[in-house]
Amino acid sequence: MTSFMPPADRIWWKVPVGREEIVWILIALTWCLIMFFMMPYWHIYGKQNLSNEAYQTTPAKFGAKVQEGIDQYKTGEEAGVPIIHPPAGSDVYMLGRLWQWWPILELEKDKTYRLHLSSMDWQHGFSVQPININMQVVPGYEMVLTVTPDQSGEYGVVCNEYCGIGHHTMVGKIYVKE
Amino acid sequence: MTETSKKPGEDQEERIPAMQSLLDNPFLLLFIGVAMPTVFYIVWGIMEIVTIPVAP
Amino acid sequence: MAQFRTCPDTGLYFHKSAESLIKANAVAAAVALLVAGLLGLLVVLTRWQAVHLLPADQFYMALTAHGIDALIFWIIFFEMAVLYVASSVLLRCRLATPAWGWVQFLLMLVGAVMTNVAIFQGSSSVMMTSYVPMQAAPHFYLGLILFAVGALIGCFIFFGTLVVAKQEKSYEGSIPLVTFGAVTAAIIAVFTIASGAIILIPTFLWSIGYIAHIDAEMYRVVWWGMGHSSQQINVAAHVAIWYLIAGLVFGARPMSEKVSRGAYLLYILFLQLACAHHILVDPGISAEWKVFNTSYAMYLAVLASMIHGLTVPGSIEVAQRGKGFNNGLFEWLRKAPWENPVFSSMFISLVTFGFLGGITGVVMGTEQINLIIHNTIYVPAHFHATVVTGTTMAFMAVTYFLIPVLFRRQMILPGLAKLQPYIFGGGMTILVLFMLGAGTLGVSRRHWDMDFTGAALGFDYPGMAYTLMGIGAFGGVIGVIGGGIFLLITVGSLVFGKKLEPSAGLLQSFGFPLAASCYTDKRPETLPRAAPLPAGHHTSSFEAPGTFVLALVLLVTFVVYYFINWKYLASVWQLS
């Protein structure tokens, strides 16, 4: 019965450590270092990294950029939400608000876009399904994702940060065309 | 459960190693345990946020 | 004059004032667990899409209360009891400033009630995180602040008791390992509460109109300094309870004081950095900050958990082998007292925390992998493995031990108590595993309707997602039944259990001291050092080979699962 009694030795720091503990510590430390270096490794060799490019903004300022994008690139509407088809390589603006993702994006497969995201009101979660890419969308901050959709299809943008009673109706769309 | 493990005088003179003294001092541990996350997580994190540039 | 009684069965000493405070905090914790469990039932029955019990507004209200009652009130009330046991009881010392202990208890009680009232009034369905600019009623924040102030007082009473014990020489040498684990928990608690104060006080002022604006990103970073650290308190506390129960049930001694305490030091230094797990897909925070903090500075706190994962069962194995259970690798484990809920609950806690909670936590806390997991139901799946099957089951284990020792009641329904850890642990494990799967399919957390009823633009989850959520919810129902059995047995024992002393009446179960004749003014004998190590300790052979094999199984699982997730990440759209 010693786990809840003072150590047997006055100087317990110098009591030798058993061999399996030493071996296990070395194995575990090696694994910890491998996991640590996987992250910088992926920054260099992996294809899925966040640039962490972001700007401080305001809802009015960001909303104006979104509207500009809609005015320039609108191709149609679906359920009252404008659809835009921005050129490959361009800056694309999308906002989250209670309870909409605005506008709908039409992107081309294997083309790269600079996707700007922000919120007009509360925090939202930008969750592209079924590919399962998830970002936090925070009011006052404009996040830039450099994204290259490499599979075509229809994607839902589910809000996965709780944003009030209509949270479950907040679904947007991204179309990726061949 | 018996009394102390070592015979009296055997190691009573030996100085307590520095690491053991550290681990026996809850207030020093409290200080470093609060300072570490305050510096690396909170202060550094807040600096990251305030240095985000304003949108053009 | 400080009065003490001795437990005739265990020889533990109880300071009269500490004893009452431990009971009061433990009972308040049980009430919070009851409320949290009932709300949890409503939550799983709503997320089970075929049942879909509550309407949206009630679901979000129930989910907010479930999170706060379970993650904050149940656990921190119980941790106050743990701190008082680890200081006053284990060190055979009077509790420092017991009057302040009652201030601690009352502030936490008032705070907990106030926040619950705010939530059930319906104006504060903001989730546990209460992310700004979504606003709750002012008394939602005020309740949390009062609760935190109470908890901070509890931490200072704990540190004060350590000082008293040292001054009055109530023990020889260094504090016991279990108490050292409690020191770690209390240190993390101080940082937790400080972060909470930094963010919740301005948010409270904002809710009553004194402050115009709270920056949403600033809120996230500082709030998680509290939100995540509060759960790291649990890790330190429940590991201490693992060591305690290994000692109580098996007479196990730590394999090495140096290694175990060194591992706790790694927790003190690095564990709290992992608050960054919540900020990995946030705008504008650099990769350097994310990588350093999310990895606890090179995963050194993970190293600490892996060490405890070896040394806790290892110490049990050494003790069992010492009793002659030496056949093969695992006789020591097969012949463990699996029908004793103190042991079985603790062991399920150990295994599920490592295999489910630990591995998933590290995987989703990897900077890049987080983007395929953030805010999916994978996240609550992970933390139900850490705080439910991990922390809660460790706390349940120690409660079973305390019923006769502290409350002086014989446990009722012993047959059911044997099964309870398996029902609760089994149900919650099903919930965890299937919610992990659903999260991998993208199902969102904190979401009322995976059918998106009423949405202008829809999205259809695959049928498998519905199946996984249904099975997971079924596991949750079993878990709630297991939790209900726990409360039935423990609370029932306090009321109806056979009295182990004539003085253990009903009021005594809820904080009143036993009859005056049980206590004496005589100071307890000084707590001696543990018996000396047997000769030949740490010879060249492995002392706990079975545990080493189990640890390697954990490692292999960990490595395979970790790289599967990188592979999965590599399949999503390119991002840079």
Side-chain angles (χ1 to χ4, degrees):
Chain A
M1 303 234 287
T2 63
S3 63
F4 48 95
M5 297 184 75
D9 301 83
R10 190 180 80 97
I11 298 182
W12 45 263
W13 185 259
K14 291 192 175 169
V15 175
V17 176
R19 189 191 278 182
E20 69 236 277
E21 285 168 283
I22 293 173
V23 173
W24 177 245
I25 290 168
L26 290 176
I27 293 172
L29 180 62
T30 309
W31 173 234
C32 289
L33 292 176
I34 290 171
M35 289 195 297
F36 178 77
F37 286 107
M38 268 308 287
M39 292 186 286
Y41 168 86
W42 200 262
H43 272 284
I44 299 166
Y45 299 103
K47 304 284 188 215
Q48 290 79 16
N49 290 291
L50 299 185
S51 66
N52 296 312
E53 181 182 352
Y55 303 95
Q56 299 191 32
T57 186
T58 61
K61 204 160 144 184
F62 190 78
K65 288 180 184 170
V66 172
Q67 190 54 48
E68 206 177 302
I70 294 170
D71 293 341
Q72 273 183 292
Y73 305 123
K74 183 170 166 182
T75 59
E77 255 184 39
E78 184 178 339
V81 184
I83 303 173
I84 62 168
H85 189 111
S90 68
D91 286 280
V92 183
Y93 292 86
M94 186 180 200
L95 63 80
R97 67 183 169 208
L98 305 173
W99 288 285
Q100 277 176 324
W101 293 106
W102 187 270
I104 295 170
L105 308 181
E106 205 173 83
L107 308 176
E108 287 166 35
K109 185 172 169 249
D110 294 326
K111 297 284 164 42
T112 300
Y113 301 85
R114 281 167 52 80
L115 174 59
H116 298 241
L117 295 170
S118 189
S119 164
M120 295 293 102
D121 34 55
W122 292 348
Q123 300 192 24
H124 297 289
F126 175 81
S127 175
V128 186
Q129 298 298 341
I131 196 76
N132 208 5
I133 291 172
N134 305 280
M135 297 293 147
Q136 189 76 23
V137 179
V138 182
Y141 293 90
E142 173 180 340
M143 179 187 221
V144 186
L145 290 179
T146 309
V147 58
T148 314
D150 50 13
Q151 291 127 298
S152 57
E154 181 186 331
Y155 295 90
V157 182
V158 175
C159 177
N160 72 0
E161 184 58 76
Y162 169 67
C163 58
I165 193 72
H167 172 45
H168 65 279
T169 64
M170 185 168 169
V171 184
K173 276 264 175 286
I174 296 177
Y175 292 99
V176 181
K177 306 260 160 154
E178 283 290 338
Chain B
M1 259 158 288
T2 57
E3 290 297 307
T4 53
S5 60
K6 296 279 176 171
K7 292 180 221 84
E10 183 184 300
D11 66 358
Q12 299 297 315
E13 307 309 319
E14 196 178 338
R15 267 191 61 240
I16 305 278
M19 277 307 289
Q20 184 173 330
S21 309
L22 169 70
L23 292 171
D24 278 346
N25 187 335
F27 294 97
L28 200 52
L29 293 174
L30 174 64
F31 173 75
I32 59 173
V34 173
M36 280 288 294
T38 302
V39 171
F40 287 105
Y41 177 82
I42 301 262
V43 174
W44 185 8
I46 288 174
M47 280 165 53
E48 292 278 329
I49 296 170
V50 297
T51 53
I52 294 174
V54 175
Chain C
M1 191 69 204
Q3 290 197 308
F4 289 85
R5 74 168 173 89
T6 321
C7 170
D9 305 323
T10 57
L12 290 172
Y13 285 87
F14 288 94
H15 174 218
K16 194 171 169 184
S17 312
E19 185 187 25
S20 295
L21 277 165
I22 294 164
K23 285 179 187 170
N25 281 291
V27 170
V31 173
L33 181 64
L34 172 68
V35 176
L38 290 173
L39 291 164
L41 181 65
L42 297 176
V43 170
V44 291
L45 287 179
T46 306
R47 294 233 55 178
W48 189 345
Q49 198 69 16
V51 181
H52 211 48
L53 183 68
L54 298 180
D57 57 337
Q58 290 179 21
F59 169 74
Y60 291 126
M61 184 175 19
L63 185 53
T64 303
H66 170 65
I68 291 179
D69 282 322
L71 286 167
I72 306 277
F73 299 153
W74 143 245
I75 278 173
I76 295 185
F77 265 123
F78 200 92
E79 271 157 0
M80 290 299 124
V82 170
L83 288 184
Y84 296 155
V85 169
S87 54
S88 172
V89 178
L90 294 187
L91 296 179
R92 298 185 179 178
C93 174
R94 68 183 170 86
L95 193 72
T97 63
W100 278 99
W102 290 106
V103 176
Q104 166 265 311
F105 177 72
L106 288 174
L107 276 176
M108 285 173 59
L109 193 64
V110 169
V113 170
M114 190 183 283
T115 298
N116 269 291
V117 167
I119 296 167
F120 288 113
Q121 283 173 335
S123 55
S124 302
S125 299
V126 293
M127 301 297 131
M128 177 181 155
T129 45
S130 56
Y131 287 140
V132 302
M134 185 186 283
Q135 198 173 65
H139 52 302
F140 172 89
Y141 306 109
L142 187 61
L144 290 174
I145 292 167
L146 294 178
F147 186 87
V149 172
L152 190 62
I153 292 171
C155 292
F156 287 138
I157 293 171
F158 170 77
F159 284 115
T161 306
L162 295 184
V163 173
V164 172
K166 195 169 181 111
Q167 274 175 355
E168 298 184 355
K169 297 194 167 51
S170 75
Y171 63 96
E172 286 178 23
S174 305
I175 55 173
L177 178 62
V178 173
T179 308
F180 190 76
V183 169
T184 307
I187 289 170
I188 297 172
V190 171
F191 173 75
T192 301
I193 295 163
S195 307
I198 295 171
I199 200 62
L200 284 177
I201 292 171
T203 307
F204 167 67
L205 294 174
W206 168 72
S207 74
I208 57 172
Y210 275 144
I211 290 180
H213 176 73
I214 305 268
D215 184 275
E217 189 58 40
M218 211 73 99
Y219 179 94
R220 287 178 61 78
V221 170
V222 183
W223 191 91
W224 280 112
M226 173 186 76
H228 199 87
S229 302
S230 63
Q231 308 313 308
Q232 315 282 30
I233 308 171
N234 305 343
V235 176
H238 74 225
V239 172
I241 289 175
W242 295 345
Y243 280 114
L244 176 68
I245 288 172
L248 289 170
V249 175
F250 299 95
R253 65 167 73 240
M255 294 173 81
S256 158
E257 295 278 355
K258 176 181 178 176
V259 168
S260 294
R261 286 172 204 243
Y264 269 123
L265 178 64
L266 294 176
Y267 277 170
I268 292 171
L269 291 168
F270 303 114
L271 191 57
Q272 301 156 86
L273 303 181
C275 305
H277 286 180
H278 303 267
I279 314 294
L280 296 176
V281 294
D282 275 32
I285 317 277
S286 70
E288 291 81 2
W289 183 90
K290 288 177 178 173
V291 168
F292 179 83
N293 282 289
T294 199
S295 70
Y296 322 77
M298 299 199 171
Y299 290 105
L300 294 175
V302 174
L303 174 65
S305 289
M306 290 173 80
I307 292 172
H308 292 305
L310 179 87
T311 58
V312 172
S315 71
I316 294 174
E317 180 173 354
V318 173
Q320 287 281 77
R321 285 183 185 276
K323 289 177 196 150
F325 298 117
N326 254 320
N327 286 328
L329 280 175
F330 297 116
E331 192 195 20
W332 63 276
L333 190 57
R334 278 201 313 278
K335 301 240 168 111
W338 293 101
E339 71 296 337
N340 176 356
V342 178
F343 167 73
S344 60
S345 199
M346 169 265 170
F347 205 80
I348 294 170
S349 164
L350 174 80
V351 171
T352 54
F353 181 79
F355 277 86
L356 295 175
I359 292 178
T360 58
V362 173
V363 166
M364 71 188 207
T366 304
E367 190 211 355
Q368 294 94 338
I369 292 177
N370 186 258
L371 73 89
I372 53 172
I373 292 174
H374 179 76
N375 272 359
T376 66
I377 203 150
Y378 190 102
V379 180
H382 150 75
F383 70 69
H384 280 74
T386 56
V387 300
V388 182
T389 60
T391 306
T392 298
M393 290 199 76
F395 289 0
M396 285 176 169
V398 81
T399 304
Y400 281 122
F401 168 76
L402 286 175
I403 288 170
V405 173
L406 173 68
F407 293 97
R408 300 306 294 154
R409 293 281 191 153
Q410 202 172 62
M411 199 165 66
I412 61 165
L413 304 173
L416 201 53
K418 283 180 196 171
L419 295 176
Q420 187 275 335
Y422 301 99
I423 300 171
F424 185 72
M428 293 313 296
T429 300
I430 293 171
L431 172 104
V432 166
L433 287 171
F434 287 87
M435 284 190 353
L436 288 172
T440 308
L441 294 177
V443 177
S444 169
R445 73 184 290 199
R446 297 174 165 180
H447 200 281
W448 175 65
D449 187 10
M450 60 193 285
D451 283 333
F452 308 105
T453 310
L457 300 161
F459 171 73
D460 294 323
Y461 282 112
M464 179 57 82
Y466 288 85
T467 310
L468 295 175
M469 289 297 285
I471 300 171
F474 173 75
V477 173
I478 308 274
V480 171
I481 292 170
I485 295 171
F486 169 77
L487 286 168
L488 175 74
I489 293 168
T490 52
V491 179
S493 300
L494 300 195
V495 179
F496 304 111
K498 182 167 161 265
K499 294 167 185 170
L500 291 177
E501 273 173 40
S503 54
L506 189 59
L507 289 173
Q508 280 70 24
S509 289
F510 294 94
F512 283 76
L514 306 180
S517 58
C518 301
Y519 299 92
T520 124
D521 285 339
K522 198 168 147 276
R523 238 188 85 171
E525 282 173 61
T526 303
L527 176 68
R529 289 192 194 135
L533 300 170
H537 178 71
H538 290 320
T539 48
S540 56
S541 66
F542 274 28
E543 284 183 302
T547 300
F548 196 81
V549 170
L550 293 178
L552 290 177
V553 171
L554 174 81
L555 182 74
V556 170
T557 315
F558 199 165
V559 172
V560 169
Y561 189 69
Y562 180 76
F563 284 110
I564 285 175
N565 276 275
W566 279 109
K567 181 101 176 94
Y568 171 30
L569 175 71
S571 74
V572 310
W573 293 351
Q574 294 183 15
L575 296 160
S576 56

